[in-house]
Amino acid sequence: MKAHDGMYIDGAWRPAASGDTIDVVNPLDEQVIDRVPAGTAADVDAAVRAARAALPGWAATPPAERAARLAALRDVLADRKDEIAETVTAELGSPLAFSQAVHASVPIAVAGSYAELAASHAFEEKVGNSTVYQEPIGVVGAITPWNYPLHQIVAKVAPALAAGCTVVLKPAEDTPLTAQLFAEAVDEAGIPAGVFNLVTGLGPIAGQALAEHPGVDLVSFTGSTAVGRQIGATAGAAVKKVALELGGKSANVILPSADLAKAVNVGVANVMSNSGQTCSAWTRMLVHRDQYDEAVELAATAAAKYGSRIGPVVNAKQRARVRSYIEKGVAEGARLVAGGPESPSAQGYFISPTVFADVTPDMTIAQEEIFGPVLSILRYDDEDDAVRIANGTVYGLAGAVWAGEEAEAVAFARRLETGQVDINGGRFNPRAPFGGYKQSGVGRELGAHGLSEYLQTKSLQF
């Protein structure tokens, strides 16, 4: 799509306050493909004012009507699925097949789930001599990342609109075209002016202005833990609610009774998906020491098949970051069995699919989020040791457990300090709550739990 040269505010594309722009770069060939406005605090203020003006009307709109508008939005996104996939591929570098199967398809399913929830959710209930109401929290400032550009937008905007909130979105500066396409879809779906507003811009300028704005009642942010701390501190000073989906260092625990080959191959695929740019990726594979050597060999073989199947990382800064972690892993004594820091291509921000063996729990690559196609394989002695290692980071976003019997895997998973665990390769569920323990965040997204983040409770006693 061709970029708009303004902001989507109060139902129309309006000129930006500044003439500054942001280059949109294709990670595949490192070429500038378009430019979008670099929003300022003035743009954010205009968007928040529009959202506040639209709030009373949208909050009073019957849930069934809100559901109908969300269903219309789902249908528009479905009609534009191919364009969505092509846009994500152009600005993120994701292979087109993955963009079609994941980047375009999952947000459509999520939008549909909130259309249904808006119609079925009990916004009012009787509790003894009280009537309890769930009401919209107000104006939402949504700040989204680049790794799943449309999914992260829909996972925030759809429940907010279902709840009766209005929204100002500040998308990641690397993938703003997808956000503009979403704004077009909102307009086409007939969502009233001011209910959804879009400001493109840099995080330290537009994002910070949105988080600080006194007219914003809730800040929903997905990104790094470091930035999440800053947003939490800013919101805390104003006693403002936050929903934070932050970093991860998820463990993929393969118990001795599991189908080792299947668990390893699925685990490698999980890490390589989206070029490793997934906060919930199973970047630590934990294998019993008796099966360790076989697992390493299987993982190295599996990773080699991804050399020409994954796309680049998003930009030069991210490529340098991932390379630095790979170099640190080697320096700290981990053994490279696949990939390495050298780029496999002279053009594009590519990183070779990389697998480390002989990784110990205290190594940097076993503790910090890398956000690239890098897998660390660790040994454990027994289940207690595996639990200790799996829980031994500041994160707790996701994970996986493999075992011969489901009950064995479930018993182990219940011991993990993490918000979501896949059992024997369990499929993604867009209605299940997603979010983390510890420094992986505050709150939940998706499903009924995601809707509840945008609601506040009032009780009337009779």
Side-chain angles (χ1 to χ4, degrees):
M1 65 167 286
K2 174 64 179 173
H4 291 271
D5 59 2
M7 309 297 184
Y8 185 76
I9 297 175
D10 203 17
W13 293 96
R14 304 189 173 208
S18 164
D20 295 338
T21 59
I22 299 170
D23 290 343
V24 183
V25 177
N26 186 330
L28 288 164
D29 59 15
E30 305 178 43
Q31 300 300 305
V32 175
I33 57 174
D34 218 325
R35 292 176 175 83
V36 298
T40 66
D43 297 302
V44 169
D45 183 64
V48 173
R49 289 178 183 275
R52 290 224 70 86
L55 179 61
W58 185 246
T61 299
E65 176 59 22
R66 299 201 298 260
R69 291 304 94 211
L70 284 167
L73 176 61
R74 173 203 59 205
D75 293 343
V76 173
L77 294 174
D79 289 342
R80 301 183 70 172
K81 181 179 176 181
D82 289 343
E83 185 183 4
I84 291 167
E86 291 165 2
T87 301
V88 173
T89 291
E91 60 183 356
L92 181 63
S94 170
L96 184 59
F98 189 80
S99 293
Q100 292 170 331
V102 177
H103 288 295
S105 297
V106 172
I108 293 168
V110 172
S113 75
Y114 279 112
E116 295 174 8
L117 271 171
S120 63
H121 184 77
F123 290 94
E124 176 184 337
E125 65 173 334
K126 291 291 291 183
V127 180
N129 65 308
S130 301
T131 301
V132 180
Y133 297 91
Q134 291 187 316
E135 300 178 341
I137 199 165
V139 174
V140 173
I143 304 174
T144 56
W146 44 261
N147 59 327
Y148 288 90
L150 184 59
H151 169 63
Q152 295 289 353
I153 290 171
V154 172
K156 298 181 188 304
V157 175
L161 299 190
C165 298
T166 56
V167 180
V168 177
L169 169 68
K170 205 300 286 184
E173 51 263 37
D174 292 287
T175 53
L177 301 182
T178 303
Q180 289 193 343
L181 194 157
F182 178 78
E184 292 178 355
V186 166
D187 197 78
E188 189 175 341
I191 292 172
V195 170
F196 170 82
N197 306 272
L198 169 67
V199 175
T200 55
L202 301 175
I205 299 174
Q208 184 70 18
L210 185 58
E212 292 177 344
H213 200 290
V216 171
D217 300 294
L218 179 151
V219 180
S220 180
F221 169 79
T222 297
S224 72
T225 297
V227 176
R229 289 192 195 101
Q230 296 173 8
I231 289 175
T234 297
V239 197
K240 183 182 302 185
K241 185 177 178 181
V242 294
L244 304 174
E245 198 267 280
L246 308 176
K249 195 67 185 175
S250 301
N252 178 20
V253 183
I254 305 173
L255 298 177
S257 62
D259 181 334
L260 183 65
K262 180 179 180 180
V264 170
N265 284 313
V266 173
V268 171
N270 176 277
V271 173
M272 302 307 159
S273 177
N274 209 39
S275 303
Q277 300 169 127
T278 303
C279 55
S280 58
W282 310 333
T283 52
R284 295 179 297 147
M285 181 180 289
L286 277 58
V287 184
H288 191 276
R289 63 172 54 256
D290 291 345
Q291 299 174 312
Y292 188 81
D293 291 341
E294 182 182 359
V296 168
E297 184 176 345
L298 287 167
T301 300
K305 298 176 183 178
Y306 286 88
S308 59
R309 291 165 56 185
I310 65 172
V313 294
V314 69
N315 55 36
K317 180 180 178 181
Q318 186 63 18
R319 178 178 60 184
R321 169 189 166 87
V322 176
R323 281 177 172 172
S324 71
Y325 273 108
I326 296 173
E327 291 166 352
K328 184 166 287 189
V330 173
E332 292 183 0
R335 174 166 56 97
L336 270 175
V337 296
E342 298 79 15
S343 176
S345 173
Q347 188 178 54
Y349 305 125
F350 288 92
I351 294 287
S352 295
T354 297
V355 177
F356 279 106
D358 300 336
V359 179
T360 59
D362 60 331
M363 288 182 179
T364 303
I365 58 172
Q367 288 291 320
E368 297 183 10
E369 186 175 46
I370 298 173
F371 228 60
V374 181
L375 171 66
S376 296
I377 310 180
L378 297 88
R379 295 179 180 84
Y380 67 85
D381 294 321
D382 54 29
E383 287 196 14
D384 288 342
D385 191 37
V387 170
R388 178 186 63 82
I389 295 170
N391 290 339
T393 75
V394 298
Y395 298 111
L397 185 56
V401 181
W402 300 79
E405 298 293 334
E406 183 178 290
E408 181 187 4
V410 169
F412 186 93
R414 293 297 302 272
R415 300 175 67 187
L416 297 179
E417 297 168 351
T418 190
Q420 191 170 66
V421 184
D422 294 344
I423 303 297
N424 289 336
R427 294 179 295 109
F428 173 73
N429 181 359
R431 296 174 181 269
F434 181 84
Y437 287 21
K438 302 189 286 188
Q439 293 188 28
S440 284
V442 177
R444 293 294 181 268
E445 292 189 328
L446 305 180
H449 292 78
L451 177 63
S452 69
E453 295 294 331
Y454 300 93
L455 294 167
Q456 55 191 346
T457 303
K458 177 186 292 178
S459 62
L460 275 60
Q461 284 62 249
F462 296 90

